[in-house]
Amino acid sequence: MTTADWRERRHRWDTRYAPYAYIAPYFLLFAVFGLFPLGYTAWVSLHDRNLLDGDAATWVGLGNYVRLVTADPYFWNAMGNTVSLWLLTTVPQILFALGIAQLLNRRIRSRTLFRMGVLLPNITSVAAVTIIFAQLFGRDFGLVNWVLELFGAGRVDWQAGTASSHTAIAAMVVWRWTGYHALIFLASMQAVPTSVYEAARLDGASQWQQFWRITVPMLRPQIIFSTVIATTGNMRLLAEPLLFNPGAAAATGGSDRQFQTAALYLYEQGFTKYDFGYASAIAWLLVLATVLVTGLSYLAARRIRTD
């Protein structure tokens, strides 16, 4: 083989296999820290296994899943709380983010500073945010109750009730993530051709009509993306309900499990009761639910693009 033939072959190899070599580290890391934990969790979910005594695991097959779905009211209570918090967080996040993005898209002074500012809640520690909001929604000395009393309303024990606790936790999530979605919408708004708005103004469309009939329809893929992100985040909502009521009832989400999410129920089973097999079954049901929601959102986005 001549030197020219060898160089030509090496060039073909480089063109064909070099891209795979470049992306190989990602897939190796994903296999070690992503696929292996998922597979191992699935294997553990088929056993009756205590976290403190892993060698004494007993094969139960689908027993954990059957008990979880058919004989565990606490799990369905946690799923109900998760759905409730999803409704209370996702819809306000999207609406507030659209409004903020619309304001930041206008020619206002120091808009770069405002654009940076809306992202500050997202980069703040979730533990710090939850602790501060828990103080704000405190029953005796909370700022929210103080404001309510100024308007003649009585004090609210935010942690005691289902609706009140969900409202307080949803306020934390909305405050923390609205800016993130607003920047996504803002970037998409800036990509809309100005000629479309000029034509609408010539036709007599008001600012409100331009927003709902031009801006929002053209942001459908981004709205669906933000909805998927908010949904998957809510599926693993843990820190907010866990730190909202620290103490003996932290893992149960209140004295009556009024704000215990599915992820918090997983934490209770795995790290307070040490039932690792049962907790792994909960984790896999959450994975399947997340995949289902993501798939439906993808099909919806594809249908919108097709139409």
Side-chain angles (χ1 to χ4, degrees):
M1 180 181 297
T2 64
T3 304
D5 293 337
W6 170 249
R7 288 179 179 177
E8 183 180 355
R9 177 174 296 183
R10 188 176 61 179
H11 176 72
R12 290 199 304 268
W13 288 348
D14 180 66
T15 304
R16 179 177 300 178
Y17 300 112
Y20 298 100
Y22 295 148
I23 64 176
Y26 164 78
F27 287 101
L28 290 175
L29 291 174
F30 177 71
V32 173
F33 297 104
L35 292 180
F36 174 74
L38 282 174
Y40 187 70
T41 302
W43 173 256
V44 173
S45 69
L46 303 177
H47 294 77
D48 182 8
R49 179 177 180 179
N50 189 284
L51 185 61
L52 302 179
D53 189 11
D55 296 332
T58 304
W59 174 268
V60 295
L62 298 177
N64 286 326
Y65 294 95
V66 173
R67 179 161 66 97
L68 187 65
V69 175
T70 62
D72 190 349
Y74 292 151
F75 170 73
W76 292 112
N77 172 74
M79 291 300 297
N81 291 335
T82 302
V83 173
S84 174
L85 286 169
W86 174 76
L87 293 173
L88 289 174
T89 56
T90 302
V91 176
Q93 277 183 64
I94 301 302
L95 294 179
F96 290 156
L98 283 171
I100 293 173
Q102 179 70 7
L103 291 176
L104 294 178
N105 196 36
R106 295 184 176 183
R107 295 184 178 275
I108 58 176
R109 291 183 178 181
S110 305
R111 60 179 178 177
T112 302
L113 179 63
F114 287 117
R115 291 173 182 177
M116 295 172 57
V118 296
L119 197 60
L120 288 178
N122 183 248
I123 64 177
T124 306
S125 169
V126 61
V129 171
T130 306
I131 292 173
I132 292 174
F133 269 82
Q135 297 297 321
L136 292 176
F137 285 96
R139 182 189 61 183
D140 298 322
F141 305 105
L143 180 62
V144 176
N145 277 342
W146 178 75
V147 173
L148 290 177
E149 287 186 331
L150 288 180
F151 290 93
R155 292 179 178 268
V156 178
D157 191 351
W158 295 96
Q159 296 177 351
T162 300
S164 58
S165 60
H166 288 195
T167 301
I169 294 174
M172 307 177 199
V173 179
V174 170
W175 182 84
R176 190 164 182 264
W177 287 99
T178 297
Y180 169 82
H181 298 294
L183 290 183
I184 294 177
F185 296 153
L186 176 60
S188 300
M189 287 179 181
Q190 293 179 340
V192 178
T194 57
S195 59
V196 178
Y197 294 105
E198 293 174 355
R201 283 194 294 269
L202 292 176
D203 290 337
S206 63
Q207 292 288 340
W208 183 256
Q209 291 174 329
Q210 292 177 38
F211 176 72
W212 283 110
R213 297 189 179 184
I214 297 177
T215 305
V216 173
M218 298 191 74
L219 294 183
R220 285 181 184 176
Q222 288 74 27
I223 293 174
I224 293 174
F225 170 78
S226 293
T227 303
V228 171
I229 294 297
T231 301
T232 54
N234 185 69
M235 285 292 186
R236 48 186 173 83
L237 192 62
L238 174 64
E240 289 84 352
L242 179 64
L243 298 176
F244 182 56
N245 185 27
T252 59
S255 58
D256 198 28
R257 300 178 183 269
Q258 60 268 24
F259 54 90
Q260 185 182 51
T261 61
L264 187 56
Y265 186 55
L266 186 157
Y267 173 83
E268 178 193 7
Q269 294 296 321
F271 299 101
T272 62
K273 297 183 178 180
Y274 307 112
D275 192 347
F276 215 46
Y278 200 61
S280 298
I282 298 174
W284 257 99
L285 286 181
L286 288 177
V287 169
L288 295 178
T290 303
V291 170
L292 177 62
V293 171
T294 304
L296 292 176
S297 300
Y298 169 77
L299 292 177
R302 184 178 179 180
R303 180 180 180 86
I304 290 174
R305 288 196 299 269
T306 302
D307 294 341

